[in-house]
Amino acid sequence: RRDLNIVLLDEMKELVETQQRQKQQQPQSKTPTTTTTTIVDVRSAERFAGRVEEPRPGLRLGHMPGAINLPFVEVLQPNPETPGGPGLLLKPRDELQRILSRAGLLTSNKDDDDNDKDDKDKSSSSSTTATATSPKRIVTTCGSGATACIVAAALIKCDQDPDTVAIYDGSWTEWGGQPDTLIVTGNDNNNEENET
């Protein structure tokens, strides 16, 4: 039995192809297609969009169709206690929840009263929390499989079920190095350009 938290190339191709089929089945819809898996590319926005060269020579530029971009640096902060230099650590949980919610990876749940439309004057300190979007599966990917682990850890810190978080181990080094994998360029997470 293989590890559910590691995605290999064949499964990744299947996930992307499934998302593409779902997208083609609903071409007129203005709402994004709901899928059971979200692919999160944690490379920089410039690399995601294919606007800069990859650090590894010979790789194609862009990202996987259907992937969203959340650069891993957005979930990190300096650690002043690191001996010998500036280290990094995950941001506090409440900040991570805001970041991951904005990226569409967590949903916002409010206490019972908060759903009442007449209660619009509630202060911003109300008990709104972001929680995991279970049972949705989230696959993180990056350049080589290392920094994808950072966003995976942030998701788990925000109570995403660890069984629903996976890492595409080959990441862009493998995907961008294949001659037959689908690639898009541009930075709009919903309206991709230039599919190859």
Side-chain angles (χ1 to χ4, degrees):
R1 167 169 136 29
R2 70 171 187 77
D3 188 342
L4 294 175
N5 296 78
I6 301 296
V7 173
L8 302 177
L9 180 62
D10 288 340
E11 183 181 359
M12 201 68 206
K13 284 181 178 181
E14 185 178 311
L15 290 171
V16 169
E17 289 168 7
T18 298
Q19 286 186 348
Q20 290 297 12
R21 278 193 305 276
Q22 290 173 339
K23 184 178 175 182
Q24 289 171 354
Q25 290 171 356
Q26 297 181 346
Q28 305 302 324
S29 177
K30 291 189 182 200
T31 55
T33 304
T34 303
T35 61
T36 57
T37 301
T38 299
I39 301 167
V40 184
D41 187 325
V42 307
R43 295 175 300 150
S44 71
E46 292 79 17
R47 287 175 66 191
F48 179 82
R51 290 191 302 255
V52 297
E53 290 296 319
E54 284 292 318
R56 293 161 194 87
L59 297 181
R60 295 183 294 158
L61 306 181
H63 60 276
M64 296 168 212
I68 64 169
N69 184 226
L70 175 61
F72 75 94
V73 295
E74 291 186 23
V75 302
L76 296 175
Q77 68 181 13
N79 180 1
E81 298 177 16
T82 303
L88 298 171
L89 53 85
L90 287 175
K91 290 181 177 178
R93 190 171 185 269
D94 61 332
E95 287 182 54
L96 290 174
Q97 287 174 324
R98 281 192 295 278
I99 293 163
L100 297 170
S101 293
R102 265 195 319 268
L105 301 175
L106 301 178
T107 57
S108 188
N109 288 334
K110 299 180 180 186
D111 287 345
D112 310 332
D113 302 330
D114 291 337
N115 290 328
D116 185 353
K117 291 181 181 178
D118 296 327
D119 197 11
K120 293 179 181 176
D121 294 52
K122 206 153 202 141
S123 74
S124 61
S125 64
S126 70
S127 53
T128 300
T129 58
T131 58
T133 57
S134 287
K136 181 179 264 192
R137 184 174 186 218
I138 299 171
V139 177
T140 59
T141 180
C142 58
S144 65
T147 56
C149 298
I150 294 169
V151 172
L155 286 159
I156 292 166
K157 185 174 181 176
C158 292
D159 298 325
Q160 178 75 24
D161 179 353
D163 289 338
T164 66
V165 178
I167 296 159
Y168 170 36
D169 188 47
S171 283
W172 196 254
T173 299
E174 182 173 57
W175 191 271
Q178 298 290 315
D180 63 337
T181 51
L182 294 174
I183 292 178
V184 292
T185 57
N187 63 348
D188 185 342
N189 283 330
N190 294 320
N191 299 309
E192 284 134 357
E193 313 161 359
N194 306 326
E195 198 165 309
T196 60

